[in-house]
């Protein structure tokens, strides 16, 4: 059964009689009865090219968005155009291509420009329990949510509600709380700077710092690590550094699927002579070769080879391989002083060298080989390459940030660059590659459960109120608070909280313990189906759509991965006349909830976003003259001391070397280490389709990628259907019916897609310091599912 046929079958199954149970135990879609539709072929040898162009056009057609989508794509990532709502990779400051977007951007536009509507009639036809049986893909294919919807206590179906009544209900619930700390206010990285600033202002005037966000689940570890090492929780490079780099390290990242526009940057770096070194448990086609679809050689030729050296490390073997490389560099330095350590930089700009070097010297090279899976000779080869390079860039993503020792791993990357003096000069630096388009901007605007005192001081001075000073709840802690009844109202400014978070059944229980859940959304997702006693869906404008307020058409701003703030202005007619902008939703909520307790002119701020930006300029460091600077053709760069070689944000006023032990990877017989990954047809929790083109997997998502030796040792064969089991802290978690797919992955390691496998990620398993869920190191066992027939993989 191919993808359209499966979608049709899922549609017909929803015509069954309504289930009267609104609190259905069906959290995730039921696995299919059979897997005869799956096709498994050889992984691709390259990324992009003509197939990416054709797939992009196909998504526009599938989402009924040919005309609207084409209009938006013409402006996507252009100066004074529409900022892509997908990843946060930056655009060039100067000349931009006619098509300054990738396949992911085209998918995101098609998704948002969908001309179909999920109307009140749709919700009358389908109960919540019915909808919960459908796949994430099917839910997203039902179109844009037309108007506000309410699920009453004990009801089986959502019903339409007016905006006035929705805000009145929300205000009633918030004001009935015994304490402001009983409310949780979550933020997705898609929210604009203006929405985020208004949101945090309202939440703090309400009286809490309970501002968890999606960063808690992705690059929180990067922020924690870099703040200690270099004094800022962001990267240090600009887009133009890549063309000046001698070596680019890509660690725990898959740009071909997750950040495709990065491939163009890497191609330009290769053209300029850079070497690219990749460290990753999976061989990803997007790191091997790139066919630029805007060049003849990319459309018709072989494209550009990217990776010069590919180290297929074991899952969480990164500390071992990084230490092994640095130990070999130190041995080279001992034999030939001045060959591998940038002593002028180390002595003038860093702190902690002696302790760091002593730790490297005591490491056993054989142990480093065994834990990483990388031969010492390969580590020596990398050490020689880096020792001859002064301009090194290191990039990483969630392959590093979602481990228990994630902060330490990222600090080892910083150690490596500090050894070579490769921070604070052209062509060199640290580059955490952010996933969502404004996740970094939201943090800059104050979306953080642990706000800096200086920021709170400015809020107090500008708005003449006393903001709460005690730290609030992050994502993991807010789930626990809802689960044990300490948090009673959950509000989400965007996102798909249930599907993004760990321990799906535990999180679902937590949400059901609340009095009210509120979701600001564009399309239907699973978080609308697992609710508190009552639930609201507040449909908002997309970034591609015209935002017209009392003063006229508005624009918003976002911050990309490299600290550049730019404007974004939608040009499409809104999908529905009922839709409200995110800034307007926040202002209406604030007025309804706070009433006479606030002196902020919420109506004026909603009517003219220039007024919001004036307040940002007064409160957020580096945003002075914000309205003027964002109107420049390429926006402006936020201040970044380490980029300029200044590390005065650390207690030592220098960059800090740090010391970290090797993690313990002991496994019992039959256990495997599982990591969750994205497929090609998804972005974060948004499922665009059922194919993973680059890995050769089609028409199915419930797969487990395994080493061929592990398959044989487990008594399995390709195509068998298995249950995946995690046992942690006395609780058994089971993900049922996954198809065994042989893949080139290190022994004792396996990979599955999220969100399907999030059910296996324990709520108690978090990264040290950052509290990020450990989704990349989950110990599981496998059990053959005897109820399902094997797939013919």
């Amino acid at each position: 059964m191919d993808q359209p046929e499966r979608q049709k079958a899922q549609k017909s199954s929803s015509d069954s009689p309504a289930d009267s149970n609104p609190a259905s135990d069906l959290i995730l879609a039921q696995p299919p009865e059979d897997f005869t539709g799956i096709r498994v072929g050889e992984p691709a040898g390259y990324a992009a090219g003509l197939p990416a162009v054709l797939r992009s056009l196909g998504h526009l057609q599938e989402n009924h968005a040919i005309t609207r989508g084409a209009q938006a794509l013409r402006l996507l990532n252009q100066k004074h155009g529409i900022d892509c709502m997908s990843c946060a990779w930056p655009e060039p400051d100067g000349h931009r291509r006619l098509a300054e977007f990738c396949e992911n951007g085209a998918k995101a536009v098609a998704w948002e420009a969908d001309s179909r509507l999920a109307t009140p009639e749709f919700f009358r036809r389908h109960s919540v329990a019915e909808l919960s049986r459908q796949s994430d893909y099917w839910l997203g294919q039902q179109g844009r949510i037309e108007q506000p919807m309410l699920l009453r206590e004990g009801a089986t179906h959502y019903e339409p509600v007016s905006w006035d009544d929705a805000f009145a209900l929300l205000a009633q619930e918030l004001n009935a709380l015994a304490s402001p700390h009983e409310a949780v206010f979550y933020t997705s990285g898609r929210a604009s700077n203006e929405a985020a600033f208004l949101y945090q202002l309202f939440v703090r005037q309400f009286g809490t710092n309970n501002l968890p966000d999606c960063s808690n689940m992705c690059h929180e570890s990067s922020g924690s690590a870099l703040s200690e090492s270099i004094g800022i929780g962001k990267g240090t490079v600009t887009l133009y550094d890549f063309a000046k780099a001698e070596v680019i390290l890509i660690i725990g990242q898959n740009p071909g699927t997750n950040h495709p526009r990065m491939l163009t940057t890497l191609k330009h770096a290769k053209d300029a002579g850079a070497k690219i070194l990749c460290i990753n448990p999976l061989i990803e086609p997007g790191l091997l070769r790139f066919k630029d679809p805007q060049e003849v050689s990319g459309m018709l030729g072989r494209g550009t080879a990217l990776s010069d050296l590919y180290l297929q490390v074991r899952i969480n073997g990164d500390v071992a391989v990084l230490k092994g490389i640095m130990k070999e560099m130190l041995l080279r330095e001992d034999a030939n002083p001045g060959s591998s350590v940038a002593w002028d930089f180390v002595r003038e700009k860093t702190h902690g060298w002696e302790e760091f070097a002593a730790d490297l010297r005591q490491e056993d090279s054989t142990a480093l080989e065994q834990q990483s899976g990388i031969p010492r000779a390969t580590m020596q080869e990398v050490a020689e390459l880096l020792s001859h390079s002064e301009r090194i860039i290191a990039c990483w993503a969630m392959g590093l940030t979602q481990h228990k020792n994630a902060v330490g791993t990222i600090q080892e990357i910083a150690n490596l660059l500090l050894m070579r003096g490769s921070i604070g000069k052209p062509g060199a630096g640290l580059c955490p590659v952010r996933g969502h388009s404004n996740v970094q901007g939201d943090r800059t605007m104050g979306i953080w459960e642990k706000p800096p005192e200086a920021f709170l001081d400015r809020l107090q001075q500008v708005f003449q109120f006393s903001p709460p000073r005690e730290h609030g709840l992050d994502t993991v802690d807010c789930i626990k608070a809802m689960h044990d009844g300490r948090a009673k109202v959950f509000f989400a400014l965007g996102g798909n909280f249930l599907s993004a978070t760990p321990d799906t059944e535990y999180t679902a229980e937590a949400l059901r313990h609340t009095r009210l859940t509120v979701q600001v959304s564009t399309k239907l997702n699973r978080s609308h189906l697992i609710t508190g006693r009552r639930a609201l869906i507040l449909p908002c404008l997309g970034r591609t759509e015209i935002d017209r307020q009392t003063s006229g058409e508005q624009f918003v701003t976002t911050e990309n991965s490299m600290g550049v703030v730019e404007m974004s202005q939608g040009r499409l007619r809104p999908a529905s006349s009922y839709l409200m902008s995110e800034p307007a939703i926040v202002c209406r909520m604030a007025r309804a909830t706070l009433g006479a307790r606030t002196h902020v002119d919420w109506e004026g701020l909603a009517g003219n976003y220039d007024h919001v930006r004036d307040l940002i300029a007064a409160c957020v460091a580096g945003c002075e003259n914000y309205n003027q600077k964002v109107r420049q053709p390429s926006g402006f760069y936020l201040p970044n001391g380490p980029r300029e070689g200044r590390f005065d944000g650390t207690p030592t006023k220098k960059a800090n070397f740090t010391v970290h032990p090797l993690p313990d990877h002991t496994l019992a017989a039959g256990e495997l280490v599982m990591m969750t990954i994205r497929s090609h047809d998804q972005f974060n929790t948004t499922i665009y389709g059922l194919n993973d083109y680059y890995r050769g997997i089609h028409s199915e998502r419930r797969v487990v990628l395994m080493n061929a030796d592990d398959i044989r040792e487990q008594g399995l064969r390709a195509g068998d259907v298995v249950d995946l089991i995690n046992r942690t802290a006395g609780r058994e978690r089971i993900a049922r019916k996954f198809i065994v797919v042989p893949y080139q992955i290190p022994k004792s390691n396996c990979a599955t897609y999220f969100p399907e496998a999030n059910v296996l990620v324990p709520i108690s398993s978090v990264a040290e310091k950052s509290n990020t869920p450990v989704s990349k190191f989950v110990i599981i066992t496998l059990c053959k599912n005897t109820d399902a027939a094997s797939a013919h993989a």
Side-chain angles (χ1 to χ4, degrees), residues 645-665:
R646 294 183 289 102
F647 305 101
D648 45 12
T650 71
T652 64
K653 306 300 180 184
K654 292 185 176 184
N656 295 307
F657 284 100
T658 53
V659 174
H660 308 282
L662 293 179
D664 179 14
H665 290 166

Side-chain angles (χ1 to χ4, degrees), residues 89-302:
W89 193 253
E91 300 78 42
D93 292 341
H95 173 73
R96 298 187 183 180
R97 293 174 162 196
L98 178 64
E100 192 62 55
F101 60 87
C102 64
E103 183 181 351
N104 272 6
K107 291 174 183 174
V109 165
W111 185 261
E112 188 172 287
D114 195 338
S115 61
R116 297 167 295 183
L117 291 175
T119 64
E121 176 58 29
F122 168 84
F123 287 98
R124 277 192 288 270
R125 290 198 314 269
H126 303 283
S127 71
V128 171
E130 263 182 71
L131 293 172
S132 73
R133 296 191 188 99
Q134 303 297 345
S135 70
D136 296 290
Y137 170 71
W138 185 93
L139 293 175
Q141 288 298 312
Q142 304 316 301
R144 295 285 297 277
I145 300 169
E146 184 189 41
Q147 55 185 281
M149 303 301 296
L150 167 65
L151 183 67
R152 298 185 186 276
E153 185 171 359
T156 59
H157 292 67
Y158 275 98
E159 63 184 67
V161 63
S162 71
W163 280 106
D164 286 346
D165 288 348
F167 288 123
L169 185 156
L170 173 56
Q172 178 189 38
E173 286 283 5
L174 289 174
N175 287 326
L177 296 173
S179 164
H181 304 307
E182 293 182 340
V184 169
F185 299 92
Y186 175 77
T187 314
S188 161
R190 193 185 66 85
S192 67
N193 283 346
E194 289 75 11
F197 181 81
L198 291 168
Y199 192 50
Q200 65 81 29
L201 175 61
F202 158 66
V203 171
R204 292 189 167 109
Q205 287 208 333
F206 181 66
T208 186
N209 282 314
N210 286 350
L211 282 161
D213 72 328
C214 59
S215 184
N216 297 150
M217 295 179 285
C218 55
H219 273 286
E220 196 70 58
S221 297
S222 298
S224 298
L226 298 182
S227 294
E228 293 180 354
S229 290
I230 63 173
I232 191 171
K234 302 180 180 182
T236 67
V237 299
T238 71
L239 194 65
Y240 297 95
D241 286 316
F242 283 80
K244 301 173 184 176
E246 295 173 282
V247 176
I248 299 171
L249 302 176
I250 301 174
I251 312 175
Q253 186 199 1
N254 176 20
T257 288
N258 302 330
H259 314 91
R261 284 194 300 130
M262 182 179 174
L263 299 180
T264 301
T265 303
L266 295 178
K267 175 186 178 299
H268 293 162
K270 288 291 293 184
D271 292 343
K275 299 288 187 181
I276 295 179
L277 167 63
C278 300
I279 302 175
N280 200 55
L282 293 176
I283 302 296
E284 301 289 9
L287 291 171
L288 300 178
R289 184 173 294 275
F290 170 53
K291 291 190 176 185
D292 189 338
Q294 298 193 57
E295 294 185 1
V296 174
S297 62
M299 293 289 278
L300 303 177
R302 299 188 67 246

Side-chain angles (χ1 to χ4, degrees), residues 48 50-60 103 680-681 693-694:
L50 179 60
V53 175
L54 297 176
R55 288 193 296 266
S56 299
L57 294 174
H59 280 279
L60 290 175
E103 183 181 351
H680 187 75
D681 263 355
Y693 295 98
Y694 294 160

Side-chain angles (χ1 to χ4, degrees), residues 408-462:
T409 302
I410 294 162
Q411 289 179 334
E412 293 289 10
I413 295 175
N415 288 340
L416 175 57
L417 267 62
L418 293 176
M419 283 185 76
R420 296 299 301 140
S422 280
I423 301 178
K425 63 184 179 183
L430 297 158
C431 183
V433 184
R434 306 281 176 170
H436 220 155
S437 64
N438 198 43
V439 62
Q440 188 162 297
D442 287 348
R443 181 59 58 87
T444 300
M445 294 296 114
I447 300 294
W448 196 13
E449 74 281 356
K450 297 181 287 188
E453 288 294 317
F455 177 72
L456 296 179
D457 290 342
R458 286 191 290 272
L459 288 182
Q460 182 165 349
Q461 180 182 7
V462 171

